[in-house]
Amino acid sequence: MSSFSFDLIAHDPDTRARVGRFQTPHGVINTPMFMPVGTRATVKGVTPAQLREIGAEVVLANTYHLFLRPGADIVREAGGLHRFMGWDRPILTDSGGFQVFSLADTLKLTDDGVEFRSIVDGARHFWTPEDNMAVQEALGADIIMQLDQCPPYPAEKPMVAEAVRRSAAWAARCKTAHSREDQALFGIVQGGVFDDLRAESVARCTEIGFPGYGIGGYSVGEPHDLMLESLAPVASALPADRPRYLMGVGNPTTMLEAIGLGVDLFDCVLPTRTARTGTAFSSEGRMNLKNARYTRDHGPIDPACSCPVCATYTRSYVRHLVTTKEMLGSTLLSIHNLHVLIDLARSARVAIEEGRYSAFLEQWRNGPGHDDY
């Protein structure tokens, strides 16, 4: 693991927020950081050059989808994900476990592994933790995630307890099976919204020991306040010298609240998925560009935004693209929405370094857009 290091360079005096530098074989990730999701080895509608322009330092890809198409062997033959998708900065692959367990009506689960049906051709596949590690090693991302069991919300406590136990057992097997020194394998904390199960999962996961930790099982339907209440003790209990990754969160308000609790990394499809519906993030909340009020509005999407879209295009033009279903409309809104989250994380880093994150967060809470997220 000599290719990896995580150095904490600033702490906010009034919150648990911190600034770090996570060194990987393909460059540094400055934390806190939002990571765009490129499920099938592409961030929908956005090129690698455009991602670099808006400050993206790391992108995600999905093991489940790439396992089905084009296949891990094809990605390996291409030289790994970095060459395959033309991205020379860090990449993280999730295990695909969330996707597998979202297909609950088609899977068969045992302690040995999980059997699931392909959404492509209906074929049945079986993954053990060892199989999953082999797939992620073939894909070749810098950061990879253990195979875990992600229970839904709501779920009965015995079911969540079983997921904690099984995920911990699989974490140990993933660590034993993983062999690439140029990859950092992260463990994942589960436990739903049950504080005692979250604490048990943290203890089990940290006992095994990983260079970083994912916090899973959130953003699956639980109330926002309950999530933050449950997240606080988890984040504080994880090792301070390792990056903490809150999986599947891209709501600006939730991201900023979680940064205040000591979380470092975030990802979500929300900014690009909402872009494809004609929705823009802004300092005043979400904007539906399909709205007729923007027909003759020749100002930028958000006057407070410094992204290349706001510097070049108007609300009127983007509305025209969206209402006529032109591809460029989704691309421009995706670039803008991703920039909003990446720049928000950058602003959070500055506030932490200057010792004013508490005031920064309070300003966001009281801002005009807070209630829209």
Side-chain angles (χ1 to χ4, degrees):
M1 297 297 299
S2 58
S3 300
F4 297 88
S5 63
F6 182 61
D7 299 311
L8 290 170
I9 59 178
H11 289 83
D12 180 68
D14 300 316
T15 71
R16 297 175 188 158
R18 73 248 193 100
V19 171
R21 288 174 56 85
F22 186 31
Q23 179 70 53
T24 80
H26 286 89
V28 170
I29 303 170
N30 293 286
T31 65
M33 174 59 65
F34 177 79
M35 306 181 287
V37 177
T39 301
R40 295 179 173 88
T42 175
V43 178
K44 290 185 184 298
V46 184
T47 68
Q50 290 167 329
L51 289 170
R52 284 190 287 270
E53 184 180 6
I54 60 174
E57 295 181 352
V58 50
V59 299
L60 270 69
N62 183 269
T63 299
Y64 170 79
H65 288 286
L66 294 176
F67 168 77
L68 297 178
R69 286 185 301 191
D73 56 336
I74 292 177
V75 175
R76 181 180 59 238
E77 290 169 8
L81 272 175
H82 294 88
R83 290 187 180 179
F84 188 61
M85 62 188 290
W87 175 255
D88 58 0
R89 295 182 180 182
I91 297 175
L92 182 153
T93 48
D94 59 28
S95 69
F98 178 84
Q99 285 69 33
V100 167
F101 284 99
S102 68
L103 306 171
D105 55 335
T106 68
L107 64 83
K108 295 181 180 179
L109 176 65
T110 68
D111 283 351
D112 190 40
V114 58
E115 181 180 301
F116 58 94
R117 190 181 297 275
S118 166
I119 60 170
V120 175
D121 57 11
R124 299 203 72 87
H125 301 278
F126 186 79
W127 269 355
T128 65
E130 293 79 9
D131 295 329
N132 188 264
M133 288 296 95
V135 173
Q136 293 196 71
E137 288 193 357
L139 295 174
D142 302 272
I143 306 165
I144 68 174
M145 308 301 296
Q146 73 153 102
L147 182 65
D148 65 326
Q149 180 182 351
C150 181
Y153 179 88
E156 297 294 329
K157 190 171 184 178
M159 177 184 180
V160 179
E162 184 68 3
V164 166
R165 180 195 63 80
R166 183 173 285 120
S167 294
W170 286 1
R173 289 170 60 184
C174 284
K175 184 175 180 179
T176 298
H178 181 243
S179 61
R180 286 189 61 160
E181 292 293 323
D182 60 345
Q183 291 181 315
L185 169 63
F186 281 24
I188 299 177
V189 174
Q190 287 291 346
V193 294
F194 302 101
D195 288 346
D196 57 336
L197 294 182
R198 284 283 176 184
E200 177 185 343
S201 187
V202 169
R204 286 176 176 265
C205 208
T206 54
E207 182 179 3
I208 297 167
F210 293 95
Y213 295 89
I215 306 172
Y218 288 126
S219 289
V220 291
E222 76 282 351
H224 181 259
D225 291 345
L226 184 59
M227 170 190 161
L228 291 174
E229 180 182 335
S230 171
L231 174 63
V234 174
S236 63
L238 287 170
D241 61 347
R242 306 295 166 90
R244 304 160 180 163
Y245 162 31
L246 182 56
M247 305 174 71
V249 168
N251 175 305
T253 296
T254 308
M255 183 177 77
L256 292 183
E257 295 284 358
I259 288 172
L261 298 176
V263 177
D264 307 299
L265 296 168
F266 305 84
D267 82 284
C268 193
V269 298
L270 183 67
T272 49
R273 180 172 289 170
T274 55
R276 296 194 297 276
T277 70
T279 299
F281 291 174
S282 81
S283 57
E284 297 185 356
R286 298 194 194 197
M287 299 171 54
N288 181 359
L289 269 299
K290 294 179 182 178
N291 196 310
R293 64 185 288 195
Y294 301 120
T295 302
R296 289 182 168 83
D297 189 334
H298 301 296
I301 295 173
D302 186 353
C305 180
S306 60
C307 82
V309 176
C310 288
T312 307
Y313 304 100
T314 66
R315 295 175 177 179
S316 175
Y317 178 63
V318 176
R319 180 185 184 276
H320 159 68
L321 297 176
V322 169
T323 56
T324 56
K325 296 181 171 59
E326 289 288 343
M327 293 170 58
L328 183 59
S330 294
T331 290
L332 294 181
L333 286 175
S334 293
I335 292 170
H336 167 77
N337 287 350
L338 289 170
H339 176 273
V340 168
L341 290 178
I342 292 169
D343 192 59
L344 199 57
R346 181 199 60 78
S347 296
R349 292 197 299 272
V350 172
I352 296 165
E353 289 173 344
E354 295 177 353
R356 54 177 180 84
Y357 189 74
S358 182
F360 175 83
L361 180 57
E362 193 62 25
Q363 182 179 15
W364 174 268
R365 288 170 177 160
N366 295 327
H370 172 265
D371 291 339
D372 274 355
Y373 292 114

